[in-house]
Amino acid sequence: MTAFADRHIGPGSDDLEAMLRVIGVNSVAELVDTAIPAGIRLEGALDLPPARSESEVLTRLRELSERNVVKTPLYGLGYYATVTPPVIRRNVLESPAWYTAYTPYQPEISQGRLEALLTFQTVVSDLTGLPTAGASLLDEGTAVAEGVALARRAAPKGSVCLVEPTLLPQSLAVLRTRMDALGIAVVVAEGSLTDALRAHDAFCLVLQVPGSDGLLRSPDELRAVTDLAHANGALVVAACDLLALTLVEAPGAWGADVAVGTTQRFGVPLFFGGPHAGYIAVRTGLERQLPGRLVGVSIDADGTPAYRLALQTREQHIRREKATSNICTSQVLLAVTAAMYAVYHGPRGLREIALGVHRDARRLADACAGAGLAVRYRDVFDTVTIEVPGRAGAIVTAAAASGLLIRAESDDAVVVALGEGVSERDLGALAQVLGGDLPPEAADALAGHDRPVDYLSHPVFSAYHSETAMLRYLATLAGRDFALDRGMIPLGSCTMKLNPTAALEPISYRGFADLHPFAPPSDTAGYTELITELESWLATTTGYDRVSLQPNAGSQGEFAGLLAIRRYHEANGAGHRKVCLIPSSAHGTNAASAALAGLRVVVVKAAPDGSVDLDDLAAKVAAHADQLAGVMVTYPSTHGVFEETISDICAMVHAAGGQVYVDGANLNALVGLARPGTFGSDVSHLNLHKTFAIPHGGGGPGVGPVGVRGHLAPYLPNHPLDENAGPATGPGPVSAAPYGSAGVLPITYAYIALMGPDGLRRATETALVNANYVAKRLAGRYPVLYTGAGGHVAHECILDLRPMTKRTGVTVDDVAKRLIDYGFHAPTMSFPVAGTLMVEPTESESKAELDRFCDAMLAIADEVARVAVGEWPADDNPLHHAPHTLARVTADEWTHPYSRTEAAFPAGRRTGPVAGGLGDKYWPAVARIDGVYGDRHLVCSCPPPEAFED
């Protein structure tokens, strides 16, 4: 049977030989020797298990999943039973058309995903009653922290973040981690909220609606507390259960400034804690403070309404340490799932689900009353706290024996949180455990809340309630996008490689998908073993001593790693070390993460060849020696080069008492060949959604574990609800769940097991070959901006379009949009150097696909030449008008100096790597989009259908 690595790696042996000849080397080994400094090379193979077959890996993962004991989840704390409609699970969560797409920075070929995200924003905005919602955050805990950070930016005064006692404990812990780093006090209110507001100089008040123990305040009480907070100059951040908001009054109606939470119970599996899409919505006046991404409506070149990312797009690269947040990856795939859940059920369907959950909670409360047990609150939505003096442990154990997972709040109280799909048998069994009988009916009791169906009135929420209609709608949206299932996505620093189907399949296994994150250790043996093995494999791969899988995005891994550095210095009596040196070429999130960790950013210049300027680094180290916390570098560099001086950089910073953080964004060029933990780095985050094959999901989920040397291990994240999730000396959690996005960890586990040490090394070597092959083929028409000492690039190359633009006026945008007509997603535009394209072909692309891309780029260069000599006017040529839609090339009138065929089929009728014709042609849904118009006319929820007429 063919080894998996042979299926994962695109070029065959004959292709590799041909490519090496073009590069000008005799072997892969020679390329590696000339590209990578000898001083950092790994001697021997990685100490990992040998590669296994797909069937062996799937068998192993099924065994692990079956070792997890899945009980009916009645535990609550932000994670609930829900039902993923099969049509959505199969056609979104399990569809490569959705999970292999990239972040929609090229909006013309992302219209389906952007429409789904706009629908997500509309759901959140309608249910919260706040006009502007973001396109998802990472989870509820970090959403709370982002909401508070927004309040800190917007509130005119105050020094304290005041929190009500029923805030979810993991949200409180994440909030403390984030605010402690910034020196902001978090105070849990004692007594009444009104007394607490009068006692503290608060810039914000955080409410949980309903509370973690089921507390549901009346609208009048919520309004009164909010009015007092506002009178004192504080903003109100409401952490709200989105399903509850189909029944209870919207936070916008009682005055909340910000609403945050999770959309997990909108059809997203529990996944042992993630990935789930958090949400945030704000009142008018705060929209430009929103963290993360925001989808807006603009127009294209033909005046057609079109979707695009608005305002915050890649703001970290622009504002760096002054960015509103460090979030780069959100949770697009899960946000789409939640949005489509709302579309499928519609407003009345959602209300019926919520009413069913609420009535089950009321029936349980009535059963308790019949058994002589007191319940803490009679007016609840879904959560019942039951007073059971001295018997909580026995009741939890008895419930577990009946297959039910409930929570002991203390020795004297248990908490039960109902969700969608909890069976009558389960409810009856729980009532029996409590000593009562379940009544057939129960009256509503929602503390004076009586919300009408005043939400989700857009036609999209009433049009697709049959499975046939929903299937076609999802297929229509997917058809408007360009993902890896269609062709190459050659994005530099983003590593859009094969996401193996065999690795994706296990995430739907019940033992992985349906496990509550706070289940007891006796129920989680399979996950525990998988996590332990994976942490060990990643530590071996990177050369670090310990790895934490908790960070659920690269940005959170950066934050965790920098926080470890800061806590290490504090533990050693050097808390004054708060200067973080960051090269000017670094990823923008680096500076933003440093600021979040309470560090002061000092920028180090780049040398003319793109490397770190060692003289400037030495000067900055000397100037800040007593305050130096560390340096943050990317290796290979952001310019796509293996810098010869990396060891010197590490030594220089260490000599001054600082720590070295190597950003793991480019680890795809190192695995099996070099390990940052052994060539001088102290800490790195690893992008599992890049190097280790977890799909990008259209902009998330991302996973960003952090690896550290032994001296930093005591400062890795921990978690208040799982003592095994990190060291007791840790700074607190950086994600809501103990193991972050655990539900997708089987993907990386499978990838490493399938590849084995030899396959991982071959993948890295092939990534280097592919990048150098592209660089050599294109260098004659597009200068390669940076190369290493041996004249080679790493796993990516930067093509300099600035001379072409200066000579002809054709911009990097023109080339990027013209590539769509050739059937390609554009490379990374204008990063890290304005006016350039950064290309990363990855190891998964075949020589045929690389040639197709190179042929397209060379043909575009020919088109530019025709503009240069005046054959085509500068403002009327196929590059200026790209991309060309079907509507444009089939219009009755055609006045351009180039033909319709040149517009739509520049590569000929064959537009894919297989024989084709018209059927292979990818048609963008819209023409070039006017971004400025969209920011000036901000519309961030579903526009009426009339907007799309004509």
Side-chain angles (χ1 to χ4, degrees), residues 125-196:
S125 179
D126 278 13
L127 291 177
T128 61
L130 293 166
T132 307
S136 80
L137 294 177
L138 298 172
D139 59 29
E140 181 159 4
T142 53
V144 169
E146 293 288 355
V148 171
L150 186 155
R152 176 68 284 178
R153 294 190 297 272
K157 62 171 189 159
S159 59
V160 168
C161 170
L162 187 63
V163 176
E164 78 156 301
T166 64
L167 183 68
L168 299 178
Q170 69 270 24
S171 294
L172 175 60
V174 171
L175 178 62
R176 286 194 189 281
T177 303
R178 293 277 290 269
M179 295 302 111
D180 284 352
L182 298 175
I184 296 172
V186 177
V187 176
V188 178
E190 296 181 359
S192 72
L193 290 177
T194 53
D195 289 345

Side-chain angles (χ1 to χ4, degrees), residues 744-829:
V744 292
L745 295 180
I747 302 171
T748 292
Y749 182 97
Y751 175 72
I752 295 175
L754 288 165
M755 295 292 282
D758 295 337
L760 290 172
R761 186 193 68 252
R762 278 183 56 205
T764 305
E765 291 170 344
T766 308
L768 301 182
V769 172
N770 283 1
N772 279 278
Y773 177 70
V774 169
K776 285 293 184 180
R777 278 212 59 193
L778 297 182
R781 308 295 293 277
Y782 301 95
V784 175
L785 196 54
Y786 303 110
T787 59
H792 302 300
V793 299
H795 64 311
E796 60 193 10
C797 60
I798 297 177
L799 306 178
D800 192 357
L801 275 64
R802 292 172 298 179
M804 178 195 75
T805 300
K806 184 176 181 180
R807 186 175 69 254
T808 67
V810 175
T811 67
V812 66
D813 283 60
D814 295 330
V815 174
K817 304 309 179 186
R818 184 58 170 156
L819 275 168
I820 298 172
D821 292 330
Y822 282 84
F824 284 100
H825 193 295
T828 301
M829 295 167 51

Side-chain angles (χ1 to χ4, degrees), residues 585-723:
S585 62
H587 290 94
T589 55
N590 289 176
S593 295
L596 282 181
L599 301 174
R600 181 164 68 89
V601 173
V602 173
V603 177
V604 178
K605 296 177 183 177
D609 65 354
S611 63
V612 175
D613 186 321
L614 284 188
D615 290 338
D616 191 56
L617 176 66
K620 298 289 171 58
V621 168
H624 302 284
D626 293 339
Q627 292 82 38
L628 183 62
V631 67
M632 207 173 184
V633 296
T634 301
Y635 198 80
S637 75
T638 311
H639 294 102
V641 173
F642 290 101
E643 295 183 27
E644 298 282 338
T645 58
I646 184 62
S647 297
D648 297 332
I649 292 171
C650 295
M652 188 185 304
V653 172
H654 284 150
Q659 297 288 287
V660 176
Y661 186 116
V662 168
D663 184 316
N666 292 341
L667 203 65
N668 208 50
L670 295 179
V671 174
L673 299 178
R675 304 191 302 174
T678 58
F679 65 61
S681 175
D682 299 290
V683 54
S684 293
H685 81 274
L686 326 173
N687 295 104
L688 299 192
H689 53 289
K690 294 183 181 182
T691 301
F692 294 98
I694 289 178
H696 281 243
V703 184
V706 60
V708 296
R709 299 281 301 278
H711 63 283
L712 294 181
Y715 314 106
L716 287 172
N718 55 15
H719 199 281
L721 299 178
D722 189 337
E723 63 182 12

Side-chain angles (χ1 to χ4, degrees), residues 482-569:
F482 189 99
L484 277 176
D485 63 327
R486 291 184 180 272
M488 180 183 179
I489 302 180
L491 285 150
S493 259
C494 293
T495 316
M496 297 296 294
K497 68 202 300 178
L498 171 69
N499 309 126
T501 304
L504 268 291
E505 182 180 313
I507 72 169
S508 294
Y509 293 171
R510 184 166 183 261
F512 292 143
D514 295 339
L515 197 66
H516 195 285
F518 304 138
S522 56
D523 290 353
T524 65
Y527 255 123
T528 298
E529 187 168 346
L530 182 149
I531 287 166
T532 300
E533 280 193 74
L534 182 55
E535 286 179 346
S536 173
W537 292 352
L538 292 173
T540 296
T541 302
T542 57
Y544 289 112
D545 298 305
R546 287 290 304 275
V547 169
S548 169
L549 296 174
Q550 188 184 112
N552 56 5
S555 59
Q556 305 311 295
E558 289 180 2
F559 174 66
L562 291 166
L563 203 58
I565 289 175
R566 184 173 171 189
R567 296 294 184 240
Y568 166 77
H569 286 308

